[in-house]
Amino acid sequence: RRSVNDIANQQNTLNQQIQQITDNYNAEVDRYQQEFGTEYKFEQGRYTGEEINIYQFDDRHDLEFVLTHEFGHALGIDHVDDPNAVMYEVRIDQPVDPVDLTNDDEWALKQACQ
């Protein structure tokens, strides 16, 4: 009985230590999410004002799409509201073979090039 009680006490001590580690980990996750996780969206590419950086693409057609979008920014075009547009803020299901400009894309291009 003493041996079983000793083992149970050791197990309880280990459980308390694990709980403390878990609480600390969860607190760090919460802190990280508050600092970095609220507004982040993954970017396939980015125009920095001086250069275009490409971070991810699946194939040649996807690369052409990302480059077209970022080149639009280099021309001074902002994001448009049409989710089918090349210049929409996120890549969803826009066609990539070939890359087709929507009316919103063409309008934004005309505005930028005037």
Side-chain angles (χ1 to χ4, degrees), residues 23-57:
D23 291 345
N24 291 342
Y25 177 81
N26 288 335
E28 284 300 306
V29 168
D30 289 342
R31 184 191 62 75
Y32 182 87
Q33 286 177 336
Q34 288 175 3
E35 186 170 345
F36 301 109
T38 56
E39 295 292 325
Y40 178 76
K41 293 179 185 172
F42 176 75
E43 297 175 330
Q44 285 184 278
R46 173 174 271 207
Y47 173 63
T48 67
E50 296 180 9
E51 62 187 11
I52 293 174
N53 294 309
I54 304 299
Y55 304 116
Q56 189 272 329
F57 60 93

PDB file of all heavy atoms in Angstrom, residues 23-57:
ATOM      1  N   ASP A  23       0.156  25.020 -19.160  1.00  0.00           N
ATOM      2  CA  ASP A  23      -0.354  26.378 -18.924  1.00  0.00           C
ATOM      3  C   ASP A  23       0.614  27.429 -19.468  1.00  0.00           C
ATOM      4  O   ASP A  23       0.201  28.403 -20.100  1.00  0.00           O
ATOM      5  CB  ASP A  23      -0.609  26.614 -17.440  1.00  0.00           C
ATOM      6  CG  ASP A  23      -1.784  25.810 -16.898  1.00  0.00           C
ATOM      7  OD1 ASP A  23      -2.589  25.292 -17.707  1.00  0.00           O
ATOM      8  OD2 ASP A  23      -1.889  25.703 -15.654  1.00  0.00           O
ATOM      9  N   ASN A  24       1.912  27.233 -19.228  1.00  0.00           N
ATOM     10  CA  ASN A  24       2.915  28.166 -19.742  1.00  0.00           C
ATOM     11  C   ASN A  24       2.920  28.172 -21.272  1.00  0.00           C
ATOM     12  O   ASN A  24       3.000  29.235 -21.895  1.00  0.00           O
ATOM     13  CB  ASN A  24       4.311  27.813 -19.224  1.00  0.00           C
ATOM     14  CG  ASN A  24       4.461  28.065 -17.740  1.00  0.00           C
ATOM     15  OD1 ASN A  24       3.685  28.794 -17.134  1.00  0.00           O
ATOM     16  ND2 ASN A  24       5.465  27.450 -17.144  1.00  0.00           N
ATOM     17  N   TYR A  25       2.845  27.002 -21.861  1.00  0.00           N
ATOM     18  CA  TYR A  25       2.831  26.895 -23.323  1.00  0.00           C
ATOM     19  C   TYR A  25       1.607  27.610 -23.896  1.00  0.00           C
ATOM     20  O   TYR A  25       1.719  28.395 -24.845  1.00  0.00           O
ATOM     21  CB  TYR A  25       2.833  25.424 -23.730  1.00  0.00           C
ATOM     22  CG  TYR A  25       2.744  25.207 -25.218  1.00  0.00           C
ATOM     23  CD1 TYR A  25       3.877  25.306 -26.017  1.00  0.00           C
ATOM     24  CD2 TYR A  25       1.528  24.910 -25.827  1.00  0.00           C
ATOM     25  CE1 TYR A  25       3.800  25.116 -27.389  1.00  0.00           C
ATOM     26  CE2 TYR A  25       1.447  24.720 -27.193  1.00  0.00           C
ATOM     27  CZ  TYR A  25       2.574  24.825 -27.972  1.00  0.00           C
ATOM     28  OH  TYR A  25       2.494  24.644 -29.322  1.00  0.00           O
ATOM     29  N   ASN A  26       0.429  27.347 -23.322  1.00  0.00           N
ATOM     30  CA  ASN A  26      -0.796  27.988 -23.805  1.00  0.00           C
ATOM     31  C   ASN A  26      -0.742  29.503 -23.639  1.00  0.00           C
ATOM     32  O   ASN A  26      -1.228  30.246 -24.504  1.00  0.00           O
ATOM     33  CB  ASN A  26      -2.023  27.410 -23.099  1.00  0.00           C
ATOM     34  CG  ASN A  26      -2.334  26.008 -23.571  1.00  0.00           C
ATOM     35  OD1 ASN A  26      -1.987  25.616 -24.683  1.00  0.00           O
ATOM     36  ND2 ASN A  26      -2.983  25.229 -22.718  1.00  0.00           N
ATOM     37  N   ALA A  27      -0.145  29.985 -22.578  1.00  0.00           N
ATOM     38  CA  ALA A  27       0.004  31.428 -22.384  1.00  0.00           C
ATOM     39  C   ALA A  27       0.897  32.021 -23.465  1.00  0.00           C
ATOM     40  O   ALA A  27       0.627  33.111 -23.987  1.00  0.00           O
ATOM     41  CB  ALA A  27       0.563  31.722 -20.994  1.00  0.00           C
ATOM     42  N   GLU A  28       1.961  31.311 -23.816  1.00  0.00           N
ATOM     43  CA  GLU A  28       2.853  31.784 -24.891  1.00  0.00           C
ATOM     44  C   GLU A  28       2.153  31.762 -26.245  1.00  0.00           C
ATOM     45  O   GLU A  28       2.325  32.669 -27.056  1.00  0.00           O
ATOM     46  CB  GLU A  28       4.134  30.943 -24.940  1.00  0.00           C
ATOM     47  CG  GLU A  28       5.111  31.266 -23.838  1.00  0.00           C
ATOM     48  CD  GLU A  28       5.568  32.722 -23.899  1.00  0.00           C
ATOM     49  OE1 GLU A  28       6.041  33.173 -24.961  1.00  0.00           O
ATOM     50  OE2 GLU A  28       5.454  33.401 -22.871  1.00  0.00           O
ATOM     51  N   VAL A  29       1.349  30.736 -26.506  1.00  0.00           N
ATOM     52  CA  VAL A  29       0.582  30.673 -27.752  1.00  0.00           C
ATOM     53  C   VAL A  29      -0.385  31.853 -27.822  1.00  0.00           C
ATOM     54  O   VAL A  29      -0.497  32.522 -28.854  1.00  0.00           O
ATOM     55  CB  VAL A  29      -0.168  29.328 -27.880  1.00  0.00           C
ATOM     56  CG1 VAL A  29      -1.194  29.374 -29.009  1.00  0.00           C
ATOM     57  CG2 VAL A  29       0.812  28.185 -28.099  1.00  0.00           C
ATOM     58  N   ASP A  30      -1.087  32.129 -26.740  1.00  0.00           N
ATOM     59  CA  ASP A  30      -2.007  33.267 -26.701  1.00  0.00           C
ATOM     60  C   ASP A  30      -1.271  34.579 -26.953  1.00  0.00           C
ATOM     61  O   ASP A  30      -1.734  35.432 -27.719  1.00  0.00           O
ATOM     62  CB  ASP A  30      -2.740  33.335 -25.361  1.00  0.00           C
ATOM     63  CG  ASP A  30      -3.761  32.227 -25.197  1.00  0.00           C
ATOM     64  OD1 ASP A  30      -4.159  31.619 -26.215  1.00  0.00           O
ATOM     65  OD2 ASP A  30      -4.162  31.974 -24.042  1.00  0.00           O
ATOM     66  N   ARG A  31      -0.108  34.757 -26.310  1.00  0.00           N
ATOM     67  CA  ARG A  31       0.674  35.973 -26.497  1.00  0.00           C
ATOM     68  C   ARG A  31       1.115  36.107 -27.948  1.00  0.00           C
ATOM     69  O   ARG A  31       1.003  37.164 -28.558  1.00  0.00           O
ATOM     70  CB  ARG A  31       1.894  35.978 -25.579  1.00  0.00           C
ATOM     71  CG  ARG A  31       2.706  37.279 -25.645  1.00  0.00           C
ATOM     72  CD  ARG A  31       4.046  37.148 -24.937  1.00  0.00           C
ATOM     73  NE  ARG A  31       4.921  36.141 -25.529  1.00  0.00           N
ATOM     74  CZ  ARG A  31       5.601  36.304 -26.682  1.00  0.00           C
ATOM     75  NH1 ARG A  31       5.490  37.405 -27.370  1.00  0.00           N
ATOM     76  NH2 ARG A  31       6.388  35.343 -27.127  1.00  0.00           N
ATOM     77  N   TYR A  32       1.580  35.015 -28.525  1.00  0.00           N
ATOM     78  CA  TYR A  32       2.023  35.023 -29.923  1.00  0.00           C
ATOM     79  C   TYR A  32       0.865  35.375 -30.856  1.00  0.00           C
ATOM     80  O   TYR A  32       1.009  36.188 -31.769  1.00  0.00           O
ATOM     81  CB  TYR A  32       2.604  33.663 -30.283  1.00  0.00           C
ATOM     82  CG  TYR A  32       3.136  33.594 -31.691  1.00  0.00           C
ATOM     83  CD1 TYR A  32       4.440  33.979 -31.979  1.00  0.00           C
ATOM     84  CD2 TYR A  32       2.336  33.148 -32.737  1.00  0.00           C
ATOM     85  CE1 TYR A  32       4.938  33.926 -33.268  1.00  0.00           C
ATOM     86  CE2 TYR A  32       2.822  33.095 -34.031  1.00  0.00           C
ATOM     87  CZ  TYR A  32       4.115  33.486 -34.283  1.00  0.00           C
ATOM     88  OH  TYR A  32       4.589  33.438 -35.565  1.00  0.00           O
ATOM     89  N   GLN A  33      -0.299  34.765 -30.644  1.00  0.00           N
ATOM     90  CA  GLN A  33      -1.452  35.036 -31.492  1.00  0.00           C
ATOM     91  C   GLN A  33      -1.893  36.492 -31.379  1.00  0.00           C
ATOM     92  O   GLN A  33      -2.272  37.102 -32.377  1.00  0.00           O
ATOM     93  CB  GLN A  33      -2.613  34.100 -31.147  1.00  0.00           C
ATOM     94  CG  GLN A  33      -2.384  32.690 -31.638  1.00  0.00           C
ATOM     95  CD  GLN A  33      -3.498  31.746 -31.245  1.00  0.00           C
ATOM     96  OE1 GLN A  33      -4.219  31.974 -30.277  1.00  0.00           O
ATOM     97  NE2 GLN A  33      -3.639  30.673 -32.007  1.00  0.00           N
ATOM     98  N   GLN A  34      -1.847  37.048 -30.179  1.00  0.00           N
ATOM     99  CA  GLN A  34      -2.225  38.447 -30.012  1.00  0.00           C
ATOM    100  C   GLN A  34      -1.244  39.365 -30.721  1.00  0.00           C
ATOM    101  O   GLN A  34      -1.633  40.374 -31.309  1.00  0.00           O
ATOM    102  CB  GLN A  34      -2.300  38.809 -28.530  1.00  0.00           C
ATOM    103  CG  GLN A  34      -3.491  38.203 -27.829  1.00  0.00           C
ATOM    104  CD  GLN A  34      -3.483  38.471 -26.337  1.00  0.00           C
ATOM    105  OE1 GLN A  34      -2.626  39.159 -25.822  1.00  0.00           O
ATOM    106  NE2 GLN A  34      -4.463  37.911 -25.646  1.00  0.00           N
ATOM    107  N   GLU A  35       0.022  39.017 -30.693  1.00  0.00           N
ATOM    108  CA  GLU A  35       1.032  39.881 -31.298  1.00  0.00           C
ATOM    109  C   GLU A  35       1.133  39.703 -32.803  1.00  0.00           C
ATOM    110  O   GLU A  35       1.271  40.665 -33.539  1.00  0.00           O
ATOM    111  CB  GLU A  35       2.400  39.612 -30.665  1.00  0.00           C
ATOM    112  CG  GLU A  35       3.472  40.571 -31.134  1.00  0.00           C
ATOM    113  CD  GLU A  35       4.757  40.445 -30.330  1.00  0.00           C
ATOM    114  OE1 GLU A  35       4.740  39.823 -29.247  1.00  0.00           O
ATOM    115  OE2 GLU A  35       5.765  40.970 -30.795  1.00  0.00           O
ATOM    116  N   PHE A  36       1.017  38.458 -33.296  1.00  0.00           N
ATOM    117  CA  PHE A  36       1.286  38.194 -34.705  1.00  0.00           C
ATOM    118  C   PHE A  36       0.115  37.598 -35.479  1.00  0.00           C
ATOM    119  O   PHE A  36       0.159  37.587 -36.710  1.00  0.00           O
ATOM    120  CB  PHE A  36       2.466  37.222 -34.848  1.00  0.00           C
ATOM    121  CG  PHE A  36       3.736  37.723 -34.237  1.00  0.00           C
ATOM    122  CD1 PHE A  36       4.234  37.136 -33.082  1.00  0.00           C
ATOM    123  CD2 PHE A  36       4.425  38.776 -34.792  1.00  0.00           C
ATOM    124  CE1 PHE A  36       5.412  37.585 -32.511  1.00  0.00           C
ATOM    125  CE2 PHE A  36       5.602  39.240 -34.233  1.00  0.00           C
ATOM    126  CZ  PHE A  36       6.097  38.645 -33.089  1.00  0.00           C
ATOM    127  N   GLY A  37      -0.894  37.087 -34.803  1.00  0.00           N
ATOM    128  CA  GLY A  37      -1.876  36.279 -35.505  1.00  0.00           C
ATOM    129  C   GLY A  37      -3.157  36.933 -35.928  1.00  0.00           C
ATOM    130  O   GLY A  37      -3.960  36.318 -36.599  1.00  0.00           O
ATOM    131  N   THR A  38      -3.381  38.184 -35.618  1.00  0.00           N
ATOM    132  CA  THR A  38      -4.701  38.740 -35.862  1.00  0.00           C
ATOM    133  C   THR A  38      -4.927  39.208 -37.292  1.00  0.00           C
ATOM    134  O   THR A  38      -5.985  39.032 -37.833  1.00  0.00           O
ATOM    135  CB  THR A  38      -4.969  39.912 -34.903  1.00  0.00           C
ATOM    136  OG1 THR A  38      -3.926  40.873 -35.057  1.00  0.00           O
ATOM    137  CG2 THR A  38      -5.036  39.440 -33.473  1.00  0.00           C
ATOM    138  N   GLU A  39      -3.939  39.788 -37.938  1.00  0.00           N
ATOM    139  CA  GLU A  39      -4.157  40.371 -39.251  1.00  0.00           C
ATOM    140  C   GLU A  39      -3.333  39.729 -40.350  1.00  0.00           C
ATOM    141  O   GLU A  39      -3.325  40.198 -41.466  1.00  0.00           O
ATOM    142  CB  GLU A  39      -3.820  41.873 -39.213  1.00  0.00           C
ATOM    143  CG  GLU A  39      -4.743  42.671 -38.316  1.00  0.00           C
ATOM    144  CD  GLU A  39      -6.154  42.746 -38.846  1.00  0.00           C
ATOM    145  OE1 GLU A  39      -6.331  42.807 -40.071  1.00  0.00           O
ATOM    146  OE2 GLU A  39      -7.089  42.730 -38.031  1.00  0.00           O
ATOM    147  N   TYR A  40      -2.621  38.669 -40.058  1.00  0.00           N
ATOM    148  CA  TYR A  40      -1.704  38.111 -41.031  1.00  0.00           C
ATOM    149  C   TYR A  40      -2.433  37.327 -42.115  1.00  0.00           C
ATOM    150  O   TYR A  40      -3.307  36.538 -41.822  1.00  0.00           O
ATOM    151  CB  TYR A  40      -0.682  37.203 -40.349  1.00  0.00           C
ATOM    152  CG  TYR A  40       0.267  36.569 -41.322  1.00  0.00           C
ATOM    153  CD1 TYR A  40       1.290  37.313 -41.876  1.00  0.00           C
ATOM    154  CD2 TYR A  40       0.111  35.259 -41.707  1.00  0.00           C
ATOM    155  CE1 TYR A  40       2.162  36.749 -42.787  1.00  0.00           C
ATOM    156  CE2 TYR A  40       0.971  34.683 -42.615  1.00  0.00           C
ATOM    157  CZ  TYR A  40       1.997  35.437 -43.154  1.00  0.00           C
ATOM    158  OH  TYR A  40       2.840  34.879 -44.060  1.00  0.00           O
ATOM    159  N   LYS A  41      -2.064  37.594 -43.362  1.00  0.00           N
ATOM    160  CA  LYS A  41      -2.517  36.805 -44.492  1.00  0.00           C
ATOM    161  C   LYS A  41      -1.282  36.358 -45.247  1.00  0.00           C
ATOM    162  O   LYS A  41      -0.372  37.144 -45.478  1.00  0.00           O
ATOM    163  CB  LYS A  41      -3.395  37.642 -45.421  1.00  0.00           C
ATOM    164  CG  LYS A  41      -4.702  38.060 -44.818  1.00  0.00           C
ATOM    165  CD  LYS A  41      -5.474  38.898 -45.801  1.00  0.00           C
ATOM    166  CE  LYS A  41      -6.729  39.424 -45.174  1.00  0.00           C
ATOM    167  NZ  LYS A  41      -7.405  40.378 -46.015  1.00  0.00           N
ATOM    168  N   PHE A  42      -1.279  35.108 -45.666  1.00  0.00           N
ATOM    169  CA  PHE A  42      -0.139  34.611 -46.425  1.00  0.00           C
ATOM    170  C   PHE A  42      -0.082  35.320 -47.765  1.00  0.00           C
ATOM    171  O   PHE A  42      -1.088  35.501 -48.428  1.00  0.00           O
ATOM    172  CB  PHE A  42      -0.249  33.101 -46.636  1.00  0.00           C
ATOM    173  CG  PHE A  42       0.856  32.569 -47.496  1.00  0.00           C
ATOM    174  CD1 PHE A  42       2.130  32.428 -46.984  1.00  0.00           C
ATOM    175  CD2 PHE A  42       0.629  32.250 -48.825  1.00  0.00           C
ATOM    176  CE1 PHE A  42       3.168  31.953 -47.771  1.00  0.00           C
ATOM    177  CE2 PHE A  42       1.651  31.773 -49.616  1.00  0.00           C
ATOM    178  CZ  PHE A  42       2.920  31.627 -49.091  1.00  0.00           C
ATOM    179  N   GLU A  43       1.099  35.709 -48.180  1.00  0.00           N
ATOM    180  CA  GLU A  43       1.291  36.371 -49.457  1.00  0.00           C
ATOM    181  C   GLU A  43       2.121  35.472 -50.363  1.00  0.00           C
ATOM    182  O   GLU A  43       3.181  34.987 -49.968  1.00  0.00           O
ATOM    183  CB  GLU A  43       2.035  37.696 -49.269  1.00  0.00           C
ATOM    184  CG  GLU A  43       1.267  38.686 -48.423  1.00  0.00           C
ATOM    185  CD  GLU A  43       2.066  39.951 -48.155  1.00  0.00           C
ATOM    186  OE1 GLU A  43       3.303  39.886 -48.091  1.00  0.00           O
ATOM    187  OE2 GLU A  43       1.443  40.996 -48.008  1.00  0.00           O
ATOM    188  N   GLN A  44       1.648  35.282 -51.596  1.00  0.00           N
ATOM    189  CA  GLN A  44       2.435  34.532 -52.572  1.00  0.00           C
ATOM    190  C   GLN A  44       3.558  35.402 -53.107  1.00  0.00           C
ATOM    191  O   GLN A  44       4.585  34.894 -53.539  1.00  0.00           O
ATOM    192  CB  GLN A  44       1.552  34.062 -53.721  1.00  0.00           C
ATOM    193  CG  GLN A  44       0.653  32.900 -53.351  1.00  0.00           C
ATOM    194  CD  GLN A  44      -0.124  32.427 -54.551  1.00  0.00           C
ATOM    195  OE1 GLN A  44      -1.134  33.013 -54.884  1.00  0.00           O
ATOM    196  NE2 GLN A  44       0.348  31.382 -55.182  1.00  0.00           N
ATOM    197  N   GLY A  45       3.345  36.686 -53.097  1.00  0.00           N
ATOM    198  CA  GLY A  45       4.344  37.621 -53.584  1.00  0.00           C
ATOM    199  C   GLY A  45       4.096  38.985 -52.980  1.00  0.00           C
ATOM    200  O   GLY A  45       3.067  39.228 -52.364  1.00  0.00           O
ATOM    201  N   ARG A  46       5.058  39.887 -53.195  1.00  0.00           N
ATOM    202  CA  ARG A  46       4.905  41.243 -52.666  1.00  0.00           C
ATOM    203  C   ARG A  46       5.744  42.207 -53.495  1.00  0.00           C
ATOM    204  O   ARG A  46       6.892  41.931 -53.814  1.00  0.00           O
ATOM    205  CB  ARG A  46       5.346  41.308 -51.217  1.00  0.00           C
ATOM    206  CG  ARG A  46       5.372  42.745 -50.682  1.00  0.00           C
ATOM    207  CD  ARG A  46       5.657  42.759 -49.246  1.00  0.00           C
ATOM    208  NE  ARG A  46       4.350  42.654 -48.609  1.00  0.00           N
ATOM    209  CZ  ARG A  46       4.100  43.133 -47.407  1.00  0.00           C
ATOM    210  NH1 ARG A  46       5.044  43.661 -46.698  1.00  0.00           N
ATOM    211  NH2 ARG A  46       2.907  43.030 -46.891  1.00  0.00           N
ATOM    212  N   TYR A  47       5.131  43.343 -53.813  1.00  0.00           N
ATOM    213  CA  TYR A  47       5.859  44.443 -54.434  1.00  0.00           C
ATOM    214  C   TYR A  47       6.284  45.375 -53.308  1.00  0.00           C
ATOM    215  O   TYR A  47       5.454  45.867 -52.552  1.00  0.00           O
ATOM    216  CB  TYR A  47       4.981  45.173 -55.451  1.00  0.00           C
ATOM    217  CG  TYR A  47       5.623  46.421 -55.988  1.00  0.00           C
ATOM    218  CD1 TYR A  47       6.806  46.349 -56.724  1.00  0.00           C
ATOM    219  CD2 TYR A  47       5.075  47.670 -55.750  1.00  0.00           C
ATOM    220  CE1 TYR A  47       7.414  47.487 -57.208  1.00  0.00           C
ATOM    221  CE2 TYR A  47       5.677  48.819 -56.227  1.00  0.00           C
ATOM    222  CZ  TYR A  47       6.843  48.723 -56.962  1.00  0.00           C
ATOM    223  OH  TYR A  47       7.451  49.848 -57.439  1.00  0.00           O
ATOM    224  N   THR A  48       7.577  45.619 -53.181  1.00  0.00           N
ATOM    225  CA  THR A  48       8.109  46.379 -52.057  1.00  0.00           C
ATOM    226  C   THR A  48       8.237  47.872 -52.343  1.00  0.00           C
ATOM    227  O   THR A  48       8.588  48.635 -51.460  1.00  0.00           O
ATOM    228  CB  THR A  48       9.508  45.867 -51.662  1.00  0.00           C
ATOM    229  OG1 THR A  48      10.421  46.153 -52.729  1.00  0.00           O
ATOM    230  CG2 THR A  48       9.484  44.385 -51.342  1.00  0.00           C
ATOM    231  N   GLY A  49       7.969  48.274 -53.577  1.00  0.00           N
ATOM    232  CA  GLY A  49       8.211  49.650 -53.979  1.00  0.00           C
ATOM    233  C   GLY A  49       9.459  49.745 -54.833  1.00  0.00           C
ATOM    234  O   GLY A  49       9.653  50.707 -55.568  1.00  0.00           O
ATOM    235  N   GLU A  50      10.304  48.739 -54.743  1.00  0.00           N
ATOM    236  CA  GLU A  50      11.528  48.683 -55.538  1.00  0.00           C
ATOM    237  C   GLU A  50      11.677  47.370 -56.292  1.00  0.00           C
ATOM    238  O   GLU A  50      12.350  47.316 -57.315  1.00  0.00           O
ATOM    239  CB  GLU A  50      12.754  48.882 -54.644  1.00  0.00           C
ATOM    240  CG  GLU A  50      12.813  50.245 -53.999  1.00  0.00           C
ATOM    241  CD  GLU A  50      14.045  50.407 -53.119  1.00  0.00           C
ATOM    242  OE1 GLU A  50      14.932  49.537 -53.149  1.00  0.00           O
ATOM    243  OE2 GLU A  50      14.094  51.407 -52.395  1.00  0.00           O
ATOM    244  N   GLU A  51      11.079  46.310 -55.760  1.00  0.00           N
ATOM    245  CA  GLU A  51      11.240  45.004 -56.393  1.00  0.00           C
ATOM    246  C   GLU A  51      10.021  44.136 -56.104  1.00  0.00           C
ATOM    247  O   GLU A  51       9.250  44.407 -55.187  1.00  0.00           O
ATOM    248  CB  GLU A  51      12.504  44.307 -55.903  1.00  0.00           C
ATOM    249  CG  GLU A  51      12.497  44.025 -54.410  1.00  0.00           C
ATOM    250  CD  GLU A  51      13.833  43.493 -53.883  1.00  0.00           C
ATOM    251  OE1 GLU A  51      14.822  43.529 -54.622  1.00  0.00           O
ATOM    252  OE2 GLU A  51      13.850  43.055 -52.736  1.00  0.00           O
ATOM    253  N   ILE A  52       9.876  43.101 -56.908  1.00  0.00           N
ATOM    254  CA  ILE A  52       8.825  42.110 -56.705  1.00  0.00           C
ATOM    255  C   ILE A  52       9.479  40.861 -56.136  1.00  0.00           C
ATOM    256  O   ILE A  52      10.423  40.331 -56.719  1.00  0.00           O
ATOM    257  CB  ILE A  52       8.096  41.781 -58.020  1.00  0.00           C
ATOM    258  CG1 ILE A  52       7.315  43.009 -58.512  1.00  0.00           C
ATOM    259  CG2 ILE A  52       7.169  40.580 -57.836  1.00  0.00           C
ATOM    260  CD1 ILE A  52       6.687  42.827 -59.884  1.00  0.00           C
ATOM    261  N   ASN A  53       8.993  40.415 -54.988  1.00  0.00           N
ATOM    262  CA  ASN A  53       9.457  39.173 -54.375  1.00  0.00           C
ATOM    263  C   ASN A  53       8.349  38.130 -54.492  1.00  0.00           C
ATOM    264  O   ASN A  53       7.207  38.408 -54.149  1.00  0.00           O
ATOM    265  CB  ASN A  53       9.806  39.380 -52.896  1.00  0.00           C
ATOM    266  CG  ASN A  53      10.990  40.294 -52.727  1.00  0.00           C
ATOM    267  OD1 ASN A  53      12.020  40.105 -53.339  1.00  0.00           O
ATOM    268  ND2 ASN A  53      10.832  41.304 -51.891  1.00  0.00           N
ATOM    269  N   ILE A  54       8.697  36.957 -54.974  1.00  0.00           N
ATOM    270  CA  ILE A  54       7.746  35.857 -55.086  1.00  0.00           C
ATOM    271  C   ILE A  54       8.112  34.825 -54.027  1.00  0.00           C
ATOM    272  O   ILE A  54       9.251  34.381 -53.948  1.00  0.00           O
ATOM    273  CB  ILE A  54       7.782  35.216 -56.489  1.00  0.00           C
ATOM    274  CG1 ILE A  54       7.522  36.268 -57.567  1.00  0.00           C
ATOM    275  CG2 ILE A  54       6.792  34.059 -56.574  1.00  0.00           C
ATOM    276  CD1 ILE A  54       6.180  36.953 -57.480  1.00  0.00           C
ATOM    277  N   TYR A  55       7.113  34.443 -53.217  1.00  0.00           N
ATOM    278  CA  TYR A  55       7.346  33.520 -52.112  1.00  0.00           C
ATOM    279  C   TYR A  55       6.860  32.106 -52.392  1.00  0.00           C
ATOM    280  O   TYR A  55       7.386  31.142 -51.857  1.00  0.00           O
ATOM    281  CB  TYR A  55       6.681  34.036 -50.839  1.00  0.00           C
ATOM    282  CG  TYR A  55       7.122  35.424 -50.462  1.00  0.00           C
ATOM    283  CD1 TYR A  55       6.220  36.472 -50.443  1.00  0.00           C
ATOM    284  CD2 TYR A  55       8.446  35.692 -50.150  1.00  0.00           C
ATOM    285  CE1 TYR A  55       6.627  37.750 -50.105  1.00  0.00           C
ATOM    286  CE2 TYR A  55       8.866  36.965 -49.813  1.00  0.00           C
ATOM    287  CZ  TYR A  55       7.944  37.994 -49.784  1.00  0.00           C
ATOM    288  OH  TYR A  55       8.353  39.256 -49.464  1.00  0.00           O
ATOM    289  N   GLN A  56       5.807  31.976 -53.219  1.00  0.00           N
ATOM    290  CA  GLN A  56       5.251  30.646 -53.449  1.00  0.00           C
ATOM    291  C   GLN A  56       4.465  30.642 -54.748  1.00  0.00           C
ATOM    292  O   GLN A  56       3.753  31.595 -55.056  1.00  0.00           O
ATOM    293  CB  GLN A  56       4.338  30.259 -52.279  1.00  0.00           C
ATOM    294  CG  GLN A  56       3.860  28.822 -52.274  1.00  0.00           C
ATOM    295  CD  GLN A  56       2.583  28.587 -53.053  1.00  0.00           C
ATOM    296  OE1 GLN A  56       1.735  29.455 -53.135  1.00  0.00           O
ATOM    297  NE2 GLN A  56       2.446  27.421 -53.624  1.00  0.00           N
ATOM    298  N   PHE A  57       4.620  29.573 -55.510  1.00  0.00           N
ATOM    299  CA  PHE A  57       3.792  29.317 -56.685  1.00  0.00           C
ATOM    300  C   PHE A  57       3.816  27.822 -56.947  1.00  0.00           C
ATOM    301  O   PHE A  57       4.755  27.130 -56.578  1.00  0.00           O
ATOM    302  CB  PHE A  57       4.257  30.123 -57.911  1.00  0.00           C
ATOM    303  CG  PHE A  57       5.665  29.819 -58.344  1.00  0.00           C
ATOM    304  CD1 PHE A  57       5.916  28.863 -59.307  1.00  0.00           C
ATOM    305  CD2 PHE A  57       6.735  30.498 -57.780  1.00  0.00           C
ATOM    306  CE1 PHE A  57       7.214  28.577 -59.709  1.00  0.00           C
ATOM    307  CE2 PHE A  57       8.031  30.221 -58.178  1.00  0.00           C
ATOM    308  CZ  PHE A  57       8.277  29.261 -59.148  1.00  0.00           C
TER     309      PHE A  57
END
